[in-house]
Amino acid sequence: MKRIGIPKGRLVVSVAIILSGLSGVIAGGAAGASNSKAILTVCNGTGGPYSTNFNPLSAGSPTLTGSGGEDSLVYESLLQFNYVNASEVIPWLATKYAWSNNGKTLTFDIRKNVHWSDGKLFTANDVVFTFNLLKKFPALNLGGLNFTTVSAPNEWTVVINLPVTSYSALYYLASQLIVPEHIWSKIKNPTNDLNLNPVGTGPYLLKTFTTQNITLVKNPHYWGTGPAVSTIEYPTYYTNGAAEAALDTNSCQWGAPFLASTSKFYSSGHGSHTLWFPPTSSVMLIPNMTVYPLNILAFRQAVSDAIDRPAFAHNAEEGEEKAIPSATGLVLPRDAGVLDPAYANDKLSLNLKAAKKTLVAAGFKYKGSALYAPNGTRVKLSVSVPGGFSDWLAGMPTIVQNLSALGVDATLDAPSDTVYLTDLADGSFDFAIWTQFSSGPGPFYQFDEMLNSSFSAPIGKSAVSNYGRWNNAATSAALNEYAATNNPAIQKKTMYTIEGIMVKQLPLFPLEYQVAFGEANTKLFTGWPSPSHPYATLSPYVGNSNELVVLHIKPGS
């Protein structure tokens, strides 16, 4: 199951806004497009019970540790983004934006006649308050938003100043969920507040919240055209298998579990189901750069040569996700336009003999089949995977076997998803598997998330997204150069630099393509996104775009 601990705001989009928005979704006025009592049940799985916390700014919220995006149906962001079509940015709580000051100032026009669910008027002051709250309480700044000042010249304008030119900061800032000043200004410690009576601007209200289920009901005062679905249930599912069974019996109508066999799913009579798995990023095996000997380049080169990626992909995904052939980690052919010709033939393949030769040349020694590092210690490493992700869990024994064949004393660690997420952020692992779940429109976004030193942290401190602690000046400089320009030629040049680092220094080990899993019942509900109607991904966990989906779908006949 491809979702837990998705860091907010780790995506950036530098594109033109489409002011027309979504036809039929934003039409100011009274909500309530339908009086239907249909209940939509979402099965996205958690690997364990919910932590009873509806704080949209907290790492313990269901958006980060639960079934997927519940709080982004209650709280909203300034803009919405279509992860399938990178050129489409949708006005939301902000009706438009504009850059000035050489990309250091971003101005938003705030939508008028929007009210919080308790009836209070939403204004620019709420936006300013939210961003200043992140600055006052850094633990709430889950997206690592970097700005100097934020102000409201009037009730309907927000001005955000940045320390450096950063056109790519649009997504970081515009995806932030906004909270009401009149409620949150009275909370003494918002980092610990559970927010069990949330007041938002979104299309839904929280009705009940238990460790086993979250229930949302329609907000009758929603500012746009309200949802046709009156109630949404988010039961907790402990495994992919449990979520798949719920889809199979129609007790769940929308989800993102890995299906052991899509052909089997279809052949079982599921003509009323739609599946859509567009590739969005790369699944990476992350080496912890603070762990010896993972900080030795020759060892990382040997590990890469020892990994049987097709076997991992087959055992984990049964053909649903393909092994990555390019050492650059690009998603091909999607990213072919920025593939450096110098690395067009750098293919990833299993070569255990070459791997061992590399180690011996670097001072590693073998005693029988056991590998010893240059400092004389036995090489012992663990490989971590979230226990609730049945697909990755099925594939990781392949990696353990590959490391063992290399002479490493390798073990598999599969804690609960929530424990895994904490260990990942704190750096409490040797190898860990991860991906960029909420995809951007190109390779910059996954590399920026995983390799930019700005998103790292000392061991024991929570990293924003650079979990492997790759702190390399050339890498960060290239990523920052990309973020500071809208020039495609310069952006391509910086991508060439990153690709060279991936090939030559191996800060990450690409394994397989990550797809946005999505399954939905087309008989009980209609209007789902699809390749022919790609207004969003079908996955209920990609950014805040689940709101786009629930505002499109309608109960079936």
Side-chain angles (χ1 to χ4, degrees):
M1 176 169 308
K2 294 300 189 291
R3 188 195 190 282
I4 61 166
I6 303 168
K8 290 186 177 76
R10 275 286 58 78
L11 310 177
V12 248
V13 179
S14 182
V15 290
I17 193 166
I18 294 181
L19 294 178
S20 60
L22 286 175
S23 175
V25 174
I26 302 178
S34 169
N35 292 321
S36 171
K37 299 299 182 181
I39 297 176
L40 172 68
T41 301
V42 183
C43 48
N44 223 16
T46 68
Y50 292 127
S51 172
T52 310
N53 182 350
F54 212 86
N55 184 337
L57 308 180
S58 167
S61 74
T63 286
L64 292 184
T65 59
S67 13
E70 299 90 337
D71 57 7
S72 57
L73 297 182
V74 174
Y75 295 95
E76 296 182 300
S77 56
L78 295 175
L79 301 174
Q80 283 276 11
F81 297 82
N82 185 344
Y83 301 96
V84 182
N85 179 2
S87 67
E88 187 175 5
V89 183
I90 306 153
W92 217 252
L93 290 180
T95 57
K96 63 179 180 179
Y97 73 90
W99 285 101
S100 60
N101 190 25
N102 192 33
K104 294 181 182 179
T105 300
L106 180 59
T107 301
F108 291 99
D109 288 2
I110 301 303
R111 186 179 297 277
K112 299 178 181 179
N113 300 317
V114 174
H115 289 80
W116 296 100
S117 56
D118 63 358
K120 300 290 185 180
L121 185 67
F122 164 78
T123 72
N125 292 329
D126 294 301
V127 180
V128 172
F129 171 80
T130 299
F131 281 100
N132 282 332
L133 198 65
L134 305 183
K135 187 175 286 288
K136 183 178 180 180
F137 297 93
L140 301 178
N141 191 4
L142 302 175
L145 305 185
N146 186 19
F147 58 95
T148 53
T149 63
V150 56
S151 61
N154 56 61
E155 283 190 314
W156 312 114
T157 305
V158 171
V159 178
I160 301 178
N161 290 305
L162 308 177
V164 296
T165 298
S166 184
Y167 294 102
S168 65
L170 175 64
Y171 191 101
Y172 287 76
L173 299 166
S175 293
Q176 175 62 50
L177 299 180
I178 307 301
V179 299
E181 179 181 16
H182 68 280
I183 299 291
W184 286 71
S185 62
K186 300 174 184 177
I187 300 174
K188 292 183 178 180
N189 188 352
T191 61
N192 296 328
D193 192 86
L194 299 181
N195 191 44
L196 296 182
N197 295 296
V199 173
T201 59
Y204 286 89
L205 308 172
L206 177 63
K207 181 180 181 180
T208 59
F209 192 158
T210 71
T211 58
Q212 300 300 317
N213 188 61
I214 297 172
T215 302
L216 303 180
V217 294
K218 188 161 56 175
N219 177 5
H221 306 295
Y222 183 54
W223 56 269
T225 300
V229 176
S230 62
T231 304
I232 302 180
E233 300 274 4
Y234 287 88
T236 183
Y237 295 90
Y238 284 61
T239 66
N240 284 335
E244 181 179 351
L247 281 167
D248 186 65
T249 59
N250 295 324
S251 60
C252 158
Q253 300 85 42
W254 186 26
F258 165 73
L259 300 177
S261 173
T262 55
S263 60
K264 178 181 178 182
F265 191 77
Y266 276 125
S267 66
S268 298
H270 294 83
S272 61
H273 287 77
T274 183
L275 310 177
W276 189 24
F277 303 161
T280 56
S281 60
S282 301
V283 176
M284 304 287 191
L285 184 66
I286 303 174
N288 189 331
M289 293 298 171
T290 69
V291 173
Y292 182 84
L294 292 174
N295 55 359
I296 299 176
L297 175 59
F299 184 75
R300 297 198 301 275
Q301 291 171 331
V303 168
S304 183
D305 284 340
I307 295 176
D308 188 343
R309 291 168 175 86
F312 170 85
H314 173 76
N315 292 333
E317 316 298 344
E318 298 186 11
E320 305 306 331
E321 295 178 337
K322 304 299 184 182
I324 295 176
S326 174
T328 64
L330 295 177
V331 177
L332 298 174
R334 185 198 70 177
D335 301 332
V338 295
L339 174 61
D340 188 338
Y343 305 121
N345 296 318
D346 279 285
K347 305 299 183 183
L348 296 166
S349 61
L350 174 63
N351 192 335
L352 186 59
K353 182 178 179 180
K356 290 184 175 181
K357 184 177 180 180
T358 298
L359 290 177
V360 172
F364 288 79
K365 296 182 180 180
Y366 283 95
K367 296 181 181 179
S369 61
L371 179 65
Y372 287 79
N375 67 359
T377 61
R378 177 78 165 94
V379 180
K380 298 181 179 182
L381 297 167
S382 65
V383 181
S384 296
V385 60
F389 283 35
S390 60
D391 49 350
W392 285 356
L393 189 59
M396 290 309 279
T398 298
I399 305 298
V400 173
Q401 292 168 9
N402 294 158
L403 292 172
S404 297
L406 191 61
V408 177
D409 183 357
T411 56
L412 180 63
D413 184 24
S416 69
D417 294 352
T418 51
V419 171
Y420 179 86
L421 176 60
T422 299
D423 290 346
L424 192 67
D426 292 346
S428 300
F429 65 90
D430 297 335
F431 288 104
I433 184 172
W434 201 242
T435 188
Q436 184 217 19
F437 285 91
S438 298
S439 63
F444 165 78
Y445 308 99
Q446 67 172 348
F447 293 135
D448 190 51
E449 176 177 309
M450 291 186 166
L451 298 179
N452 198 322
S453 59
S454 299
F455 306 140
S456 183
I459 293 296
K461 301 292 185 180
S462 183
V464 174
S465 56
N466 181 350
Y467 303 126
R469 274 65 181 177
W470 176 255
N471 293 311
N472 178 272
T475 304
S476 295
L479 293 168
N480 293 338
E481 183 180 7
Y482 184 106
T485 182
N486 281 333
N487 186 317
I490 296 176
Q491 290 177 337
K492 178 182 285 190
K493 178 179 70 70
T494 63
M495 280 298 99
Y496 283 5
T497 298
I498 298 301
E499 292 163 32
I501 291 170
M502 284 289 294
V503 172
K504 297 176 181 178
Q505 299 188 44
L506 296 96
L508 302 166
F509 302 115
L511 294 179
E512 65 183 10
Y513 292 133
Q514 164 67 32
V515 304
F517 283 101
E519 304 95 22
N521 187 302
T522 55
K523 181 178 182 181
L524 297 177
F525 296 93
T526 62
W528 298 106
S530 66
S532 61
H533 193 199
Y535 63 86
T537 72
L538 185 58
S539 297
Y541 60 71
V542 177
N544 301 331
S545 64
N546 59 331
E547 183 179 4
L548 300 179
V549 178
V550 300
L551 291 175
H552 270 86
I553 62 174
K554 298 178 180 180
S557 58

